Amino acid sequence: MMFDEYSLEQRATRIFDARSKEYFTEVLSCYVAGNYRSAVVMLWSVVICDLLFKLQQLVDLYGDDKAKTILAEVVRQQQANERSSEWELKLVESVAKQTQLLDIAERENMLHLQRQRHLAAHPVVNANFQLHRPNRDTARALIRNALDGLLTKAPILSKQIVGDLVEDLEQASGILIDDKKLKAYLESKYFSRFNPEVEKAVFKALWKFVFHLTDEQCEKNRVINYSALTLLYSRNPAQFQAQVDADRDYFSTIATGGSPLGYLIHFLSRSVSIYASLADHAKTAIQHTVEQEASARCLAWFISGSLEAHAEQLGEWIAGADYPQIDQGTWEYLRDLSDSPEWTKASIQLANKYYATSKNYNDADQRFAEVIRPAIDRYALDDCIDLIVGIQNNDQTYDRWRARRDHQLLCDRAVELDPQFDSKQYTVFNENLG
């Protein structure tokens, strides 16, 4: 035997609007007391009030035009006939058609509630001249549908919210200085009020703004729009993967170069499966950028097929004739491609190779400061020894003026890991550390 563990009382604690929550206590009180007719009549009133509250919130917080139009029509209908309640049913229909607050099933549930309320509130009598009285199961089902389909939901923004969101981000970019603050802001004001259809519409628009358009406005806001895009994607990667698969041509329409491709490569380095879904012409543009830009090449492991293959290819490139210059930010992002022990080891070995192949003193100074020093606390003993061997094979690293101070850090780390470590067995320490 299966028991229904759904609790109306517990679910009621999650009603979004405080006013609706207060009104709902009367519904629940009537239901518990067995006054099912009264519970249904009051439930309809709570539902109508809640719709109005949500529409007003959309107007107050976001200036939602459709919500404004619906509320204005409600006022017009009430003024035209103050005694008529027809506006209530029209309100449900308008909300279902013009906003994202109610889907088809939820709309039908609301209309069913209205019909049950009509039977319960009016002197409709049966053959025995008895007022209609809904039974306990009917009342419970109506209450549950109202809770799940409307009352516990936040006001859901329409697909047209994209413009307002982007404008809001631009204006607030000065205070949303990191992803933590931006995430809290977006979750509270926007994401928590999206349904899947709105999410997909916003994702689609942000994709275009970040990875395709190159006008001045998009360039100005690319950083914060990209952050918003990645935070939205992280909420439901499977949903957005399916969206890209279903609309391949749209998502393959990207810029041919410049900052949009740089951001796209950053995104794909954390969302590898998206790359496989893109059309060949998009992949060609990405691959061209990877060949031309050092940062893109470091992050585009999705082209190699695996992190292991990517590390091997990067190692050959770093030590090769191209002599790439890789900025500090790219190294930080490179290390964060994976938190696996294997990748931590591989990224350290790449950093060692990058420093050990420095072609002049200035490059060696900069590469140690930007790449080795920030990561030295992550080094294992074999990582230290690997770097020491690399240093000894290049006088541009061990003959420079700053080498004594820099390499002391390396020696100290080795001793910290192994107190028996004998630095004297390595020429570079004998010459520079004394």
Side-chain angles (χ1 to χ4, degrees):
M1 182 177 179
M2 298 294 292
F3 290 92
D4 184 0
E5 297 181 355
Y6 186 97
S7 169
L8 297 179
E9 292 82 355
Q10 288 296 321
R11 191 65 171 168
T13 64
R14 299 172 60 183
I15 293 176
F16 183 82
D17 191 280
R19 293 163 295 181
S20 297
K21 183 181 292 185
E22 180 183 352
Y23 297 158
F24 185 82
T25 59
E26 187 173 338
V27 175
L28 201 56
S29 175
C30 291
Y31 173 79
V32 172
N35 300 321
Y36 305 129
R37 182 186 302 111
S38 299
V40 170
V41 172
M42 184 59 189
L43 179 63
W44 174 251
S45 297
V46 174
V47 163
I48 293 301
C49 287
D50 194 68
L51 284 174
L52 294 173
F53 296 154
K54 285 179 166 58
L55 289 172
Q56 191 61 53
Q57 280 195 317
L58 292 178
V59 173
D60 293 343
L61 292 177
Y62 312 101
D64 190 285
D65 289 334
K66 289 189 174 182
K68 287 180 183 178
T69 301
I70 295 172
L71 288 174
E73 179 61 19
V74 167
V75 172
R76 189 196 66 78
Q77 291 175 18
Q78 287 181 328
Q79 291 175 344
N81 190 344
E82 294 181 356
R83 296 183 178 182
S84 173
S85 61
E86 290 184 6
W87 66 270
E88 297 175 359
L89 198 56
K90 291 180 179 179
L91 172 63
V92 173
E93 294 283 9
S94 296
V95 167
K97 290 179 180 178
Q98 299 181 49
T99 77
Q100 303 292 316
L101 287 170
L102 298 174
D103 62 23
I104 295 175
E106 290 160 353
R107 168 185 170 274
E108 289 303 314
N109 285 335
M110 295 303 106
L111 295 180
H112 179 58
L113 170 60
Q114 191 275 339
R115 289 190 290 270
Q116 290 295 314
R117 180 263 179 195
H118 181 78
L119 290 173
H122 293 83
V124 178
V125 294
N126 60 18
N128 295 317
F129 298 101
Q130 294 177 334
L131 285 171
H132 172 75
R133 183 178 186 273
N135 60 37
R136 182 180 185 277
D137 291 339
T138 297
R140 178 179 172 81
L142 293 170
I143 294 171
R144 178 171 180 171
N145 287 338
L147 283 168
D148 293 346
L150 177 66
L151 299 178
T152 58
K153 291 183 176 180
I156 298 174
L157 300 174
S158 67
K159 296 178 183 178
Q160 284 70 37
I161 194 63
V162 172
D164 293 335
L165 185 152
V166 172
E167 182 179 346
D168 190 15
L169 287 176
E170 179 178 359
Q171 294 175 352
S173 59
I175 62 172
L176 304 176
I177 57 177
D178 56 45
D179 278 356
K180 184 177 181 180
K181 289 183 178 179
L182 179 60
K183 181 178 182 180
Y185 183 83
L186 289 174
E187 284 287 346
S188 174
K189 191 171 182 180
Y190 292 99
F191 292 168
S192 64
R193 304 164 191 264
F194 286 175
N195 65 10
E197 290 305 310
V198 176
E199 283 185 338
K200 288 188 282 189
V202 173
F203 180 74
K204 186 175 183 178
L206 287 176
W207 182 281
K208 182 179 181 180
F209 295 153
V210 177
F211 302 138
H212 179 201
L213 299 182
T214 57
D215 59 80
E216 182 179 350
Q217 190 74 3
C218 286
E219 192 63 44
K220 175 185 175 183
N221 298 309
R222 202 175 306 280
V223 173
I224 195 163
N225 286 343
Y226 173 74
S227 296
L229 172 70
T230 56
L231 290 171
L232 178 59
Y233 176 83
S234 68
R235 286 171 58 86
N236 195 342
Q239 171 183 284
F240 297 117
Q241 175 68 59
Q243 184 180 2
V244 174
D245 290 338
D247 200 357
R248 186 185 187 203
D249 289 343
Y250 177 90
F251 288 98
S252 295
T253 303
I254 58 176
T256 56
S259 61
L261 264 293
Y263 280 98
L264 179 57
I265 289 167
H266 271 256
F267 177 75
L268 294 175
S269 70
R270 295 294 183 86
S271 316
V272 182
S273 59
I274 297 288
Y275 178 73
S277 300
L278 300 179
D280 288 344
H281 65 270
K283 293 178 180 178
T284 298
I286 292 168
Q287 290 166 3
H288 178 73
T289 298
V290 168
E291 293 169 359
Q292 299 298 316
E293 299 180 10
S295 177
R297 188 163 188 168
C298 287
L299 304 182
W301 72 274
F302 47 85
I303 294 177
S304 303
S306 70
L307 282 169
E308 182 179 5
H310 184 59
E312 183 177 348
Q313 293 169 14
L314 283 184
E316 295 174 357
W317 172 60
I318 287 172
D322 288 347
Y323 192 63
Q325 297 294 334
I326 305 171
D327 63 81
Q328 186 174 7
T330 298
W331 276 106
E332 292 173 357
Y333 203 92
L334 181 68
R335 293 189 187 103
D336 291 339
L337 286 180
S338 170
D339 58 2
S340 71
E342 293 80 8
W343 180 249
T344 298
K345 178 72 68 178
S347 64
I348 287 174
Q349 292 173 347
L350 289 172
N352 289 351
K353 189 168 294 188
Y354 184 65
Y355 172 63
T357 56
S358 301
K359 289 187 176 181
N360 56 66
Y361 294 159
N362 287 338
D363 280 355
D365 285 345
Q366 183 176 3
R367 291 183 175 193
F368 191 94
E370 294 184 354
V371 182
I372 303 300
R373 185 180 289 118
I376 196 70
D377 289 343
R378 305 178 191 175
Y379 275 51
L381 184 61
D382 61 330
D383 299 323
C384 295
I385 294 173
D386 175 68
L387 181 54
I388 292 168
V389 172
I391 291 170
Q392 292 192 150
N393 291 329
N394 184 357
D395 61 1
Q396 297 303 302
T397 59
Y398 65 73
D399 265 351
R400 61 193 177 89
W401 182 75
R402 296 181 185 176
R404 180 182 182 87
R405 180 192 64 186
D406 288 346
H407 295 164
Q408 181 66 58
L409 293 175
L410 179 60
C411 182
D412 291 345
R413 176 59 178 169
V415 172
E416 178 186 353
L417 294 166
D418 180 7
Q420 304 304 315
F421 176 76
D422 182 10
S423 62
K424 295 180 180 179
Q425 63 181 305
Y426 300 103
T427 306
V428 61
F429 290 129
N430 293 332
E431 292 180 354
N432 287 286
L433 301 184

